[in-house]
């Protein structure tokens, strides 16, 4: 029962990634793309934890998702910094 | 330290401070910050680790001591108020109220989304705040952003620029209810500025990014060390842990600028750590070779360690992971420095060349 719920939630989140992907590809400005990528990263993080529940190895997948969150944070920040400084870090 | 018990003391009480600088007020504060940082980091380690045997806990204690020694000033800036330790419990009391507010504005937003006629009236409102402390300002800005309907766009001196989705969201903020709650949380220091003279000092521009990264860095470093130390149970190991450690330094560069970070984490240190890591790796490998085994044949180390072959293998792998972690961290930072400077690195002795990064943080200079 619980497994089906997690599977459904993960699939639904995968579907929700698609609109963000549309914005990331089409998005008229760079900022649109950055925000879209950030949103996709956050969804991926939740999907990773749900996968951990499905494979019954939550401890392992939580470690991975923490690193993923960290990298997501750094990439958004680095991109923001890059555009704020006009191409210089 | 009870004054009543020292009845023989007839002369006026002289504080220990007067005798030796080791007992000065500032030093006592530093030691308290060190202990607090150690306790926080060790709790984080225990939360992550999941292995509570003597070996892993002692590794944890060692790592937390190392990080709290190097980065305790990241967590606690010198402020000059005594009862700052009350902030943490009061912050936990504040969170339920914040969650209640988030729920209320969520309901309001749901109503807006499903209403047949559009009642959106987005606007940007300036909000003057009476808070001056960096931590309080950051907490306030993040609370505004967490509440659906309002987003902090910019923080200038003590004016927030907030994007509100309709008039109710704006009015909820303008009542100042949230600000009063945060002022209560940070009461002893809410109107004090940090006195730190290091690069961590809260400055007007990028205050939010700087404060958040300052608070995150020690925990990221602990996480990197945890990944290195638990490489044989969970995903990760020397390479991944090294990259996470390097990421913490890269974050510092992003927040505080290249030059300020390079004065703290110099290129010389990078090169030294890089070769130390390779030395540890090659040293353990060659030691096994000298003891009559193959390269990296860890069980031969048992001749020294005398703990049995399996434990010797485990320790040997840990040593290797540590060497790899240090080398990878130093290499990543070195590569990042080289890319960020584009090869033409300003000489450290020439102060005029170093100001390029700092002055341009407003972004409209060139």
């Amino acid at each position: 029962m619980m497994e089906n719920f997690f599977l459904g939630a993960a699939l639904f989140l995968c579907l929700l990634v698609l609109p963000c992907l549309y914005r990331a590809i089409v998005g008229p400005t760079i900022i649109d793309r950055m925000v879209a990528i950030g949103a996709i990263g956050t969804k991926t993080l939740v999907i990773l934890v749900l996968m951990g529940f499905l494979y019954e190895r939550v401890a392992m997948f939580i470690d991975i998702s923490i690193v993923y969150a960290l990298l997501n944070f750094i990439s958004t920040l680095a991109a923001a910094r890059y555009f704020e400084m006009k191409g210089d870090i | 330290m009870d004054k009543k018990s020292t009845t023989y003391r007839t002369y006026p009480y002289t504080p220990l401070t007067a005798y030796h600088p080791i007992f000065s007020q500032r030093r006592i504060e530093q030691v308290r910050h060190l202990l607090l940082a150690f306790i926080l980091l060790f709790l984080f380690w225990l939360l992550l680790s999941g292995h509570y045997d003597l070996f892993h806990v002692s590794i944890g204690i060692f790592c937390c001591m190392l990080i709290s020694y190097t980065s305790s000033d990241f967590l606690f800036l010198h402020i000059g108020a005594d009862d700052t330790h009350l902030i943490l419990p009061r912050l936990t009391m504040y969170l339920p109220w914040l969650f209640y507010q988030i729920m209320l504005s969520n309901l309001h937003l749901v109503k807006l989304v499903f209403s047949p006629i559009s009642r959106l009236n987005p606007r940007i409102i300036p909000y003057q705040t009476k808070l001056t402390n960096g931590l309080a300002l950051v907490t306030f800005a993040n609370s505004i952003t967490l509440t659906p309907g309002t987003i902090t766009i910019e923080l200038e001196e003590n004016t927030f620029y907030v994007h509100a989705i309709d008039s109710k969201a704006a009015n909820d903020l303008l009542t100042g209810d949230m600000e009063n709650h945060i002022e209560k949380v940070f009461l002893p220091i809410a109107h004090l500025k940090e006195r730190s003279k290091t690069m961590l000092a809260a400055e007007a521009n990028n205050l939010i990014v700087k404060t958040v990264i300052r608070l995150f860095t020690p925990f990221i470093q602990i996480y990197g060390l945890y990944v290195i130390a638990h490489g044989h149970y969970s995903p990760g190991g020397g390479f991944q842990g090294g990259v996470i450690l390097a990421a913490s330094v890269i974050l510092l560069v992003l927040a505080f600028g290249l030059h300020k970070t390079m004065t703290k984490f110099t290129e010389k240190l990078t090169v030294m750590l890089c070769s130390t890591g390779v030395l540890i790796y090659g040293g353990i490998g060659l030691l096994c070779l000298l003891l009559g085994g193959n390269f990296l044949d860890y069980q031969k180390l048992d001749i020294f360690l005398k703990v049995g072959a399996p434990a010797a293998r485990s320790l040997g792998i840990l040593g290797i992971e540590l060497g790899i972690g240090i080398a990878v961290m130093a290499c990543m930072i070195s590569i990042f420095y080289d890319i960020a400077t584009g090869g033409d690195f300003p000489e450290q002795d020439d102060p005029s060349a170093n100001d390029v990064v700092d002055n341009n943080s407003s972004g409209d200079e060139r």
Side-chain angles (χ1 to χ4, degrees):
Chain A
M1 178 56 211
M2 218 47 197
E3 273 193 6
N4 283 336
F5 174 71
F6 288 138
L7 195 63
L11 282 175
F12 184 61
L13 279 171
C14 285
L15 283 179
L16 282 183
V17 166
L18 290 177
C20 294
L21 200 62
Y22 170 78
R23 189 49 66 205
I25 295 169
V26 177
T29 66
I30 296 277
I31 309 293
D32 285 326
R33 295 195 169 94
M34 265 164 58
V35 172
I37 294 293
I40 291 178
T42 313
K43 288 190 179 69
T44 313
L45 198 129
V46 182
I47 292 171
L48 272 174
V49 176
L50 288 174
M51 266 170 74
F53 276 108
L54 285 179
Y55 291 122
E56 292 177 358
R57 301 191 64 177
V58 185
M60 195 175 119
F61 275 85
I62 284 211
D63 283 3
I64 301 173
S65 57
I66 290 177
V67 176
Y68 199 85
L70 176 65
L71 293 181
N72 198 14
F73 176 54
I74 292 177
S75 59
T76 309
L77 196 65
R81 181 89 177 159
Y82 184 79
F83 290 114
E84 186 197 322
M85 306 283 286
K86 300 205 165 73
D88 197 354
I89 291 198
Chain B
M1 295 305 280
D2 193 3
K3 278 185 190 169
K4 282 174 193 164
S5 63
T6 56
T7 43
Y8 57 85
R9 197 198 289 275
T10 49
Y11 49 88
Y13 173 70
T14 327
L16 284 168
T17 330
Y19 298 120
H20 197 277
I22 201 167
F23 296 112
S24 73
Q25 206 68 43
R26 179 81 183 99
R27 183 60 68 95
I28 291 169
E29 194 191 5
Q30 273 174 344
V31 171
R32 205 179 64 207
H33 286 173
L34 209 63
L35 279 176
L36 260 174
F38 176 79
I39 291 168
L40 278 178
L41 292 175
F42 191 60
L43 285 178
F44 183 61
W45 176 281
L46 289 181
L47 194 72
L48 286 171
S49 169
H51 292 88
Y52 300 120
D53 51 305
L54 184 67
F55 178 62
H56 286 96
V57 171
S58 56
I59 293 180
I61 289 175
F62 178 74
C63 291
C64 293
M65 274 162 65
L66 184 76
I67 299 297
S68 54
Y69 178 72
T70 55
S71 342
S72 72
D73 52 338
F74 282 66
L75 284 179
F76 306 102
L77 292 179
H78 175 47
I79 286 176
D82 276 344
D83 44 354
T84 48
H85 54 275
L86 284 173
I87 288 173
L88 213 57
R90 278 192 302 218
L91 199 62
T92 49
M93 298 294 286
Y94 164 70
L95 287 180
W97 182 84
L98 180 67
F99 284 134
Y100 178 63
Q101 293 299 314
I102 289 176
M103 211 181 66
L104 285 186
S105 17
N106 249 328
L107 288 177
H108 176 64
L109 220 60
V110 167
K111 245 186 274 171
L112 276 183
V113 167
F114 286 106
S115 77
I117 29 168
S118 173
R119 278 180 290 171
L120 300 186
N121 187 9
R123 68 201 54 197
I124 291 178
I125 45 172
Y127 183 83
Q128 286 276 340
T129 177
K130 50 194 169 179
L131 306 168
T132 51
N133 179 261
L135 210 54
L137 284 172
V138 170
T139 314
F140 189 28
N142 278 322
S143 304
I144 291 174
T145 306
L146 274 175
T147 317
T150 46
I151 291 177
T152 314
I153 298 173
E154 190 151 11
L155 167 60
E156 258 175 25
E157 289 292 326
N158 52 4
T159 309
F160 285 100
Y161 291 95
V162 181
H163 175 270
I165 201 162
D166 72 340
S167 53
K168 186 184 176 294
N171 288 336
D172 280 356
L173 178 68
L174 289 174
T175 54
D177 215 17
M178 185 177 269
E179 186 181 13
N180 291 337
H181 270 85
I182 286 169
E183 194 184 9
K184 251 181 254 164
V185 170
F186 290 94
L187 197 58
I189 60 166
H191 303 295
L192 289 172
K193 277 202 168 179
E194 283 91 345
R195 280 191 216 153
S196 174
K197 286 199 172 57
T198 57
M199 72 172 194
L200 303 166
E203 288 161 28
N205 51 0
N206 294 336
L207 176 79
I208 295 172
V209 171
K210 278 179 184 168
T211 309
V212 169
I213 288 180
R214 172 171 75 77
L215 295 177
F216 267 23
T217 304
F219 291 99
I220 294 173
Q221 285 166 345
I222 281 290
Y223 188 73
L225 289 174
Y226 152 78
V227 169
I228 292 178
H230 290 67
H232 35 298
Y233 301 106
S234 48
F239 287 97
Q240 291 83 345
V243 171
I244 295 170
L245 284 177
S248 73
V249 178
I250 291 172
L251 270 179
L252 287 183
V253 174
L254 291 178
F256 297 99
L258 191 64
H259 173 62
K260 284 182 180 169
T261 313
M262 277 178 118
T263 50
K264 194 156 176 139
F265 203 100
T266 55
E267 282 217 299
K268 196 175 164 190
L269 183 65
T270 319
V271 175
M272 265 162 55
L273 282 178
C274 195
S275 28
T276 310
V278 178
L279 188 72
I280 292 173
Y281 180 87
I284 291 176
L286 281 179
L287 197 61
C288 301
L289 208 62
L290 288 177
L291 291 170
N294 292 322
F295 189 69
L296 295 180
D297 192 359
Y298 307 114
Q299 47 190 332
K300 295 287 182 220
L301 293 173
D302 198 27
I303 299 168
F304 285 134
L305 299 169
K306 308 229 186 306
V307 283
R313 266 202 294 273
S314 179
L315 280 175
I317 291 176
L318 190 67
I320 292 288
E321 299 276 15
L322 189 68
I324 294 174
I326 293 172
V328 168
M329 173 186 81
C331 276
M332 293 299 289
I333 295 169
S334 181
I335 291 172
F336 181 78
Y337 279 173
D338 287 345
I339 292 177
T341 52
D344 53 329
F345 175 61
E347 292 295 326
Q348 302 237 337
D349 302 331
D350 182 10
S352 62
N354 295 331
D355 293 337
V356 177
V357 175
D358 306 332
N359 289 344
N360 264 11
S361 44
S362 57
D364 43 31
E365 284 289 311
R366 40 167 118 178

